[in-house]
Amino acid sequence: MIDSISVALEPYDRLLPLIDLIYPPEQNLSIDIRWVGQPTPHVHGRDRHERFLRDKEFDVAEIPLSSYLMYRQSRHDLVALPIFPRRMFSFSNIWVRTDSTASSWSDLRSGTVGVPAFHMALGVLARRDMRLAEGVEWRDITWASPIGNSSQITPHTAPLDTVDLHSALIDGEVDALALAHLPHDPEFMRSCRRLYGARAEHIERRILDDQGYVPIVHVLVARRTAVARHPELAQSLIAMFEEAGRITAARYNDPAWSLWFWGRQSVEMHRAANPSDLWAHGLDQNIRALRDFCDAATEQGMCSEVADLTELFE
């Protein structure tokens, strides 16, 4: 009898071949992989995270690396797989009002920054990056979250009077926002701007050159019972994700594939600047990225020190 394994993830362009049920030709499993994409509209994956962490609705799911680290502090019924479907930099994702005079983290020292939740993975990166780039300590800033999402992990957190981060910024309740997803409201782009403007990409490219990786923010996590039933699950999924990436890259060889008319030109610029595979899966290829993230999460009070990273994946 073929066992069915549900895998819940975000339908990024690089994962669409998985949801299209395109498998590696050499794959020969006694498993029926059931890909569960996000419904539209959805709350930027939050429903997926909660349905998995709280209700164990899926066998495998994409969740924030920070959430997994916190979960593993007290429970071990979930195990990470060395598959990293979401990566991003922080500097492009810090926003202020258009009339703000701030242009760097240094200008926000002693201010208040709104975040969907203190422990969100992008927030972990931002608080690490502000020190590396400008010597600003994250404790010099108050981190405010909407009602219901505020956390007292640290005395440097605070609840907002509203559930709407955009309104909190416009009303002056916060001085900036760190956002992993932009609001759909067109007014957001009219009333807000990136803290670093066009400089953000230059800073992030320099970080990429120095670090050699794009920071990991999400990891694939499985129910331990599913891995016990199928010890080959991790390696099989890695092969599938890698094949999906190759298929996606090939699709962009068509100049008209992208929604954006100059999408192909952007692909060419990206490939020329980044000859290595920045989406590589597997533990060995991502040790430094994982170590840096875990150390930052520990320093920010979210988890105890992770001495051996392999423990997260076994």
Side-chain angles (χ1 to χ4, degrees):
M1 181 178 178
I2 297 179
D3 189 14
S4 178
I5 296 287
S6 58
V7 181
L9 40 75
E10 193 78 15
Y12 310 111
D13 62 348
R14 53 203 172 272
L15 302 187
L16 284 178
L18 295 175
I19 298 171
D20 291 343
L21 301 182
I22 298 176
Y23 296 93
E26 69 276 10
Q27 198 64 43
N28 184 20
L29 292 173
S30 60
I31 311 175
D32 172 27
I33 301 292
R34 182 166 57 89
W35 305 103
V36 183
Q38 285 294 112
T40 302
H42 68 282
V43 191
H44 303 313
R46 266 190 58 200
D47 51 343
R48 177 183 66 246
H49 306 160
E50 292 172 358
R51 288 161 65 189
F52 181 63
L53 290 172
R54 182 188 61 206
D55 302 328
K56 307 299 185 295
E57 184 174 337
F58 316 108
D59 295 300
V60 182
E62 169 197 351
I63 65 172
L65 179 54
S66 52
S67 296
Y68 176 65
L69 292 176
M70 294 173 66
Y71 187 94
R72 280 284 296 237
Q73 293 298 289
S74 58
R75 288 162 287 186
H76 291 79
D77 56 329
L78 300 179
V79 58
L81 309 179
I83 299 172
F84 310 101
R86 185 178 179 91
R87 299 172 182 257
M88 62 194 307
F89 291 103
S90 70
F91 287 92
S92 292
N93 298 287
I94 311 302
W95 295 80
V96 294
R97 294 187 304 276
T98 53
D99 62 355
S100 173
T101 60
S103 61
S104 69
W105 277 119
S106 296
D107 297 329
L108 296 173
R109 202 187 304 260
S110 301
T112 301
V113 175
V115 289
F118 178 79
H119 67 270
M120 80 165 180
L122 180 67
V124 176
L125 295 177
R127 289 185 287 272
R128 173 179 180 267
D129 290 345
M130 62 168 46
R131 173 192 289 171
L132 294 178
E134 298 185 21
V136 178
E137 295 293 332
W138 66 268
R139 293 179 181 84
D140 293 338
I141 290 173
T142 297
W143 302 87
S145 301
I147 298 169
N149 290 352
S150 59
S151 169
Q152 293 306 312
I153 291 177
T154 160
H156 304 281
T157 58
L160 290 173
D161 293 334
T162 177
V163 296
D164 182 6
L165 286 171
H166 182 204
S167 297
L169 180 61
I170 297 302
D171 295 342
E173 191 176 358
V174 300
D175 302 296
L177 299 176
L179 296 176
H181 302 87
L182 301 186
H184 294 297
D185 184 2
E187 179 58 27
F188 179 83
M189 298 304 296
R190 290 191 289 266
S191 60
C192 304
R193 63 171 177 82
R194 286 182 170 85
L195 175 64
Y196 284 86
R199 293 179 297 134
E201 182 176 347
H202 299 293
I203 296 171
E204 291 167 350
R205 286 185 178 276
R206 187 176 71 244
I207 291 174
L208 175 57
D209 291 339
D210 292 342
Q211 295 182 158
Y213 67 81
V214 178
I216 293 167
V217 289
H218 283 189
V219 62
L220 214 64
V221 175
R223 296 172 66 176
R224 194 172 290 279
T225 52
V227 175
R229 294 199 313 271
H230 301 284
E232 78 283 15
L233 183 61
Q235 290 304 314
S236 297
L237 286 174
I238 287 175
M240 293 180 183
F241 274 69
E242 290 177 343
E243 179 66 8
R246 287 190 288 269
I247 293 170
T248 301
R251 287 176 173 177
Y252 279 103
N253 289 332
D254 180 351
W257 174 256
S258 173
L259 175 67
W260 314 113
F261 293 115
W262 296 277
R264 172 62 196 184
Q265 288 91 318
S266 296
V267 169
E268 292 168 7
M269 291 174 59
H270 180 86
R271 289 176 177 173
N274 307 290
S276 60
D277 182 8
L278 299 179
W279 290 100
H281 301 291
L283 185 56
D284 292 342
Q285 302 93 314
N286 293 284
I287 283 292
R288 183 178 178 187
L290 289 167
R291 170 51 62 200
D292 289 348
F293 189 99
C294 289
D295 287 350
T298 299
E299 195 271 335
Q300 294 168 28
M302 282 177 234
C303 62
S304 57
E305 181 181 0
V306 182
D308 183 359
L309 291 173
T310 61
E311 293 179 355
L312 299 174
F313 298 87
E314 58 186 30

